[in-house]
Amino acid sequence: MAKRIRFIRLEVENFAGLRERAVEYGDITRLTGKNGQGKTSIGTAPPWIFFGTDLFGKTYSPAPTNYEYDVVRARLTLDADGEEITFERDLDGGDTVYIIDGTPKSATKFKEAVAEMFTKEDFLSLYNPSFFFTQHWTKQREQIMKNTIPPVKSEVLGEMSRTSPDQKLKDIPLNPAATKLRELTKKATLDDLVEQHSGKNGLKTKLEKKHIADQSRTKTLKEQLDRLPDPVENPEELKSETTELAEKIQKINEQIEAANEINQRRNAVNSALAAAQKQVESAKDRYMKVFNESIEDSCPACKRPLDEDAVKAVTESKEKRKEELRKEHADLVKNRKELEAELAGMEEVDVSDLWNEMRELERKRDDIEDIIVAQKQRQALKAEVDAAKQSEVDTLASLKETIFILDAIKAYRAKEAELQAAKVQSLFTSLQIRLFNYVKTTGEHEPFFSIQMDGKDYSSLSVGEKIEAGLELTEVLFKQSDLIVPTFLDGIGEYTGKVVVYDQLITGRAVPDQELKIETEFAVR
């Protein structure tokens, strides 16, 4: 049920040059007269009473400037859904006085009482159709969209998937993008999905960076793999070959060790022979020293002559020592000869060829083991390359998925914008409404608002065309807001079309050389 506001009576005193005037409103109230007679002032009085503004929502002071006055007063009696209320706003000295039904009110209480009937934007847009077009486009859009129900999700998803104009909405199979969004929006809003996928820390940015990192890692690992030896056809043959080489090396090593034992024994005998030779020479020297001793015939200490027995004893002692030294020398010579015989029976073994052969085998073994190690490295690195490639594939798939979701959201919002614009546009007959701007750089539709009539912007319309545009817009706002208030058309003489309003109409027409005349007309009910 629409809320209906009807004006009953307006009384002004010292209001914008009108010293004292009363208006009894009818279904149609015509204000005529020459310029400066107060037609616009009478039309301005209601918004000033309600909001302290002019017809266009600007702060306004109706205080006279060409004569002295005591008080500025404007009083409006109206019918609000069958209840008669009188609103009054006065300027008394430097103070604004607010009165409802003869009782002074605070500014807050007065504003609250007005707000119970309507908002400033709703009232001014319906009362003065030109007001709407003076607002910023965001305010215009907000007001048009305020009571417009957006298309439901199922409708948008269906229209996204439409392949033929003849399809019934319920029979349209959803395309992959619509199917994906239907599932995702069960747990998250579109705004949540956009933030999740393309926000500052969204998946798209993270996956793009990760995909670049994955590509770089795959390239690096591939370069490392390419530097390794080519893969062998049968690595088991290499293992068998290294086993054979190890066995050969072991056998040669055993031969070298056996030869070394012989050579070490020969060296020991050789060393013992050299020591024995020195011992023989030493024994010989000791023997010759005794052999060459002279037998004295006097005591070396006292020089007294020795007797025959003493000389004999000395001679026997010398011979005894000679015999002992001769035996010692003979034993040492015997030992030396035994060592010489032993050494003569020991032939030195030359192991240089064995060493060279073993080193060559070890080199071959090491080369093969290097190949085996390289094959193991190749296998491990190949696994890393495969894992890096798979990670790259997985990341790219995830990136494509998030791009697919974002593209689906763009498609959804584009279709939603198209449906919403068509829905709003269907409310108008001659006005063209644009609710969105398409941004090529982002591929998205951004909120916007503009009104044209016959391809012309509102600012380019004539006065009569502006009135026509305003009347059409007012009709739409009446339907959307369920609010009916009087409509004031100033400059009605510039308009030749049909005037259709939902209830009271107040017009202002300039008539040369005529004093202000107020005429009312009541419809037959």
Side-chain angles (χ1 to χ4, degrees):
M1 186 69 176
K3 178 181 288 187
R4 184 184 297 270
I5 306 296
R6 285 180 59 87
F7 291 173
I8 300 173
R9 182 186 308 104
L10 173 69
E11 302 168 82
V12 296
E13 182 180 344
N14 297 318
F15 186 88
L18 292 172
R19 290 182 181 272
E20 190 170 355
R21 196 80 189 199
V23 178
E24 299 288 342
Y25 292 99
D27 291 327
I28 300 176
T29 303
R30 298 184 178 89
L31 309 175
T32 58
K34 62 185 179 180
N35 292 332
Q37 291 295 295
K39 301 182 296 297
T40 302
S41 296
I42 290 173
T44 302
W48 185 76
I49 292 170
F50 293 138
F51 312 110
T53 69
D54 63 11
L55 290 164
F56 298 95
K58 306 296 183 183
T59 301
Y60 175 67
S61 174
T65 59
N66 55 350
Y67 66 89
E68 297 291 331
Y69 63 92
D70 294 327
V71 65
V72 174
R73 177 174 291 114
R75 181 186 301 120
L76 177 64
T77 301
L78 56 83
D79 180 298
D81 285 338
E83 180 183 358
E84 187 172 305
I85 309 173
T86 299
F87 289 89
E88 180 179 337
R89 183 187 293 251
D90 300 340
L91 295 178
D92 190 353
D95 298 326
T96 301
V97 179
Y98 304 93
I99 301 172
I100 300 178
D101 291 333
T103 302
K105 299 289 183 180
S106 66
T108 299
K109 292 294 184 182
F110 188 89
K111 291 177 181 178
E112 289 175 351
V114 174
E116 287 181 2
M117 298 188 298
F118 40 64
T119 66
K120 181 173 72 173
E121 289 74 17
D122 284 345
F123 174 79
L124 289 178
S125 294
L126 296 171
Y127 178 71
N128 173 30
S130 298
F131 163 77
F132 179 87
F133 301 95
T134 64
Q135 300 180 99
H136 189 271
W137 72 263
T138 55
K139 287 289 186 182
Q140 295 180 39
R141 189 181 194 280
E142 179 183 347
Q143 196 167 351
I144 285 289
M145 301 297 290
K146 181 170 60 175
N147 298 301
T148 301
I149 300 175
V152 296
K153 181 174 72 174
S154 59
E155 179 185 4
V156 179
L157 294 176
E159 292 299 335
M160 279 175 63
S161 308
R162 181 181 292 280
T163 57
S164 168
D166 300 328
Q167 289 174 297
K168 293 182 179 180
L169 186 62
K170 64 183 180 65
D171 298 330
I172 299 176
L174 297 186
N175 61 25
T179 301
K180 172 64 72 172
L181 287 184
R182 183 181 62 182
E183 294 303 314
L184 292 176
T185 52
K186 289 179 181 179
K187 297 181 180 180
T189 65
L190 287 181
D191 288 340
D192 290 338
L193 292 173
V194 170
E195 182 64 25
Q196 176 186 346
H197 289 276
S198 67
K200 184 178 180 182
N201 297 310
L203 282 175
K204 183 172 180 289
T205 299
K206 291 179 179 178
L207 290 171
E208 285 173 340
K209 291 180 179 178
K210 188 175 186 303
H211 187 239
I212 292 172
D214 287 346
Q215 287 178 315
S216 177
R217 175 167 172 75
T218 301
K219 180 181 178 183
T220 300
L221 291 173
K222 186 70 168 54
E223 290 172 349
Q224 293 175 3
L225 183 63
D226 291 341
R227 287 195 290 267
L228 291 176
D230 294 335
V232 296
E233 293 183 1
N234 193 346
E236 293 302 321
E237 290 183 359
L238 293 179
K239 292 181 181 178
S240 298
E241 191 172 351
T242 57
T243 301
E244 292 176 3
L245 289 171
E247 290 174 355
K248 290 181 180 180
I249 292 169
Q250 177 63 27
K251 288 181 180 179
I252 293 174
N253 190 56
E254 290 174 357
Q255 294 175 18
I256 292 174
E257 288 180 353
N260 286 339
E261 287 181 5
I262 294 172
N263 290 336
Q264 287 173 3
R265 175 60 185 159
R266 189 174 185 280
N267 291 335
V269 172
N270 207 11
S271 297
L273 180 59
Q277 180 63 32
K278 288 182 180 180
Q279 289 174 341
V280 168
E281 292 175 357
S282 178
K284 180 181 179 181
D285 289 341
R286 290 195 301 275
Y287 174 81
M288 292 305 297
K289 184 178 180 180
V290 172
F291 181 83
N292 291 325
E293 284 181 359
S294 57
I295 298 175
E296 300 293 336
D297 54 2
S298 60
C299 176
C302 64
K303 303 299 183 182
R304 289 174 65 184
L306 298 176
D307 58 19
E308 183 177 350
D309 290 336
V311 171
K312 183 180 178 182
V314 170
T315 300
E316 289 176 352
S317 175
K318 176 180 176 181
E319 288 300 323
K320 183 181 180 180
R321 285 187 290 126
K322 282 171 61 180
E323 184 60 28
E324 290 174 350
L325 289 172
R326 186 184 300 109
K327 184 178 184 305
E328 179 185 4
H329 178 266
D331 291 339
L332 290 173
V333 169
K334 181 183 178 183
N335 180 57
R336 182 189 68 186
K337 287 181 179 181
E338 290 174 353
L339 290 173
E340 286 176 344
E342 184 179 359
L343 184 62
M346 300 173 67
E347 184 178 352
E348 184 176 7
V349 182
D350 185 2
V351 295
S352 59
D353 290 339
L354 290 173
W355 273 110
N356 291 335
E357 183 180 356
M358 188 172 71
R359 289 191 182 99
E360 180 61 22
L361 293 174
E362 287 176 337
R363 183 190 64 76
K364 289 182 179 180
R365 181 200 60 190
D366 292 344
D367 288 345
I368 295 174
E369 287 182 346
D370 287 344
I371 294 174
I372 292 174
V373 170
Q375 293 306 306
K376 291 181 179 179
Q377 291 176 340
R378 169 175 280 279
Q379 289 177 351
L381 199 54
K382 179 67 166 55
E384 288 189 62
V385 170
D386 291 342
K389 286 182 177 179
Q390 187 60 49
S391 178
E392 186 179 338
V393 170
D394 294 342
T395 301
L396 183 59
S398 298
L399 178 59
K400 287 180 177 179
E401 174 74 2
T402 199
I403 291 173
F404 175 75
I405 292 171
L406 290 172
D407 287 343
I409 292 172
K410 288 180 182 178
Y412 181 96
R413 286 183 165 167
K415 182 56 67 176
E416 182 183 42
E418 178 186 329
L419 294 173
Q420 199 163 12
K423 189 173 184 179
V424 173
Q425 183 61 62
S426 68
L427 301 173
F428 296 88
T429 55
S430 61
L431 296 182
Q432 295 84 47
I433 308 298
R434 189 170 65 172
L435 296 176
F436 300 93
N437 260 347
Y438 178 70
V439 182
K440 289 184 179 180
T441 54
T442 62
E444 296 180 347
H445 289 75
E446 290 186 346
F448 185 69
F449 188 80
S450 70
I451 292 182
Q452 289 186 332
M453 189 168 72
D454 298 329
K456 295 185 291 185
D457 291 335
Y458 179 82
S459 60
S460 301
L461 300 177
S462 66
V463 175
E465 288 175 323
K466 287 180 178 178
I467 292 176
E468 181 181 353
L471 285 171
E472 183 174 342
L473 180 71
T474 300
E475 182 179 0
V476 172
L477 293 178
F478 272 134
K479 292 177 181 178
Q480 286 188 304
S481 64
D482 283 333
L483 173 67
I484 299 174
V485 303
T487 299
F488 174 57
L489 297 180
D490 204 6
I492 190 65
E494 300 290 333
Y495 178 60
T496 58
K498 185 179 180 181
V499 177
V500 177
V501 295
Y502 276 75
D503 199 351
Q504 290 176 296
L505 173 65
I506 307 163
T507 63
R509 182 190 300 272
V511 177
D513 302 323
Q514 178 186 304
E515 298 297 318
L516 177 62
K517 183 187 293 186
I518 303 174
E519 298 173 300
T520 58
E521 179 181 327
F522 291 90
V524 178
R525 299 181 185 276

